[in-house]
Amino acid sequence: MTVPGCLPGMAIERRPAAACRLPGQKRGITMSVRRITPAGILVAAVLALAGCGSQSTVAPAAAPAAAPATSAAPTLTITDPWVKTAKKGMSAAFGTLVNNTDAEVTVVSVVSPLSPKVELHEVVDAAGKTIMRPKEGGIVIPPRGTHRLQPGGDHIMLMGVTEAVKPGAEIPFTLNLKDGRTLEFTAVGKDFAGGQENYRPGTDPEGHEGMDMGESHG
């Protein structure tokens, strides 16, 4: 109920003295008002809500951060790579190639700043002689398998070397794979007593130019 001269939001109660009077009201009967403060309104609202059922919404827990994806293993790796020490001319690099995939991996060529001419070679018996020749088709490493590069077998041949390869020297190489990928590695210079081969031009029965490995090949 709104009383003329009183502001909305005022509560009316009987008191001996009146701050406001209704029209036609006798002087003896008075009405008084008191202002409802904002704090009172807030308390009333809290009490009203206390009697009602309340619903609380709990934010779902944040999903754990996904673990960082691990990079896939390289297609091909090499273990224990080394280069035979040499003053100049020819040298060779060795190690064990490791295929980390479920498919064949083929090495088709190799380069190194140590030599202007680097080839994949094999050692074979031909017409009663042991010769070294370029390996046709490259070197194939079976699925999940290994292939050893070693003196007297498949190896990386360096020709026209003009810089001495000393023990402990670090020589960079890059293998080119058939699928277009590459493998870069560093081989360490190492003395090898069994590697004093006497390389001489030779020819195998199929007409491939080769090199006679001599009797001292290791």
Side-chain angles (χ1 to χ4, degrees):
M1 170 179 172
T2 301
V3 179
C6 297
L7 297 176
M10 291 184 174
I12 301 174
E13 63 179 4
R14 292 179 177 273
R15 299 188 62 176
C20 300
R21 182 181 304 152
L22 292 174
Q25 181 180 347
K26 294 181 180 181
R27 183 177 298 274
I29 302 174
T30 63
M31 303 290 289
S32 66
V33 297
R34 59 185 176 85
R35 186 179 301 276
I36 299 176
T37 64
I41 296 174
L42 179 59
V43 171
V46 172
L47 293 176
L49 290 175
C52 302
S54 62
Q55 295 181 351
S56 61
T57 302
V58 179
T70 56
S71 57
T75 298
L76 186 70
T77 54
I78 186 169
T79 60
D80 302 323
W82 61 280
V83 182
K84 187 182 70 172
T85 55
K87 293 181 179 179
K88 62 178 181 178
M90 296 184 178
S91 184
F94 311 96
T96 301
L97 298 172
V98 181
N99 182 354
N100 301 304
T101 72
D102 296 321
E104 285 185 348
V105 173
T106 303
V107 180
V108 294
S109 64
V110 55
V111 294
S112 171
L114 181 64
S115 170
K117 188 175 183 180
V118 186
E119 295 180 348
L120 298 171
H121 277 198
E122 63 181 352
V123 176
V124 298
D125 292 327
K129 295 190 302 182
T130 302
I131 66 169
M132 178 180 64
R133 66 185 184 189
K135 190 170 181 65
E136 295 291 336
I139 294 176
V140 179
I141 304 92
R144 300 292 173 184
T146 61
H147 188 92
R148 189 178 177 189
L149 305 178
Q150 59 184 338
D154 293 347
H155 58 279
I156 298 171
M157 191 69 197
L158 300 102
M159 294 168 280
V161 176
T162 58
E163 181 180 348
V165 180
K166 299 179 180 181
E170 297 184 349
I171 311 300
F173 287 85
T174 300
L175 300 183
N176 298 309
L177 309 185
K178 187 176 181 179
D179 63 4
R181 302 186 190 188
T182 60
L183 168 63
E184 296 182 355
F185 67 92
T186 299
V188 179
K190 176 182 175 182
D191 286 329
F192 182 59
Q196 304 301 320
E197 300 90 348
N198 180 23
Y199 296 103
R200 297 191 302 272
T203 303
D204 66 18
E206 298 179 1
H208 296 289
E209 182 179 352
M211 295 180 182
D212 188 348
M213 299 300 293
E215 296 298 328
S216 63
H217 182 78

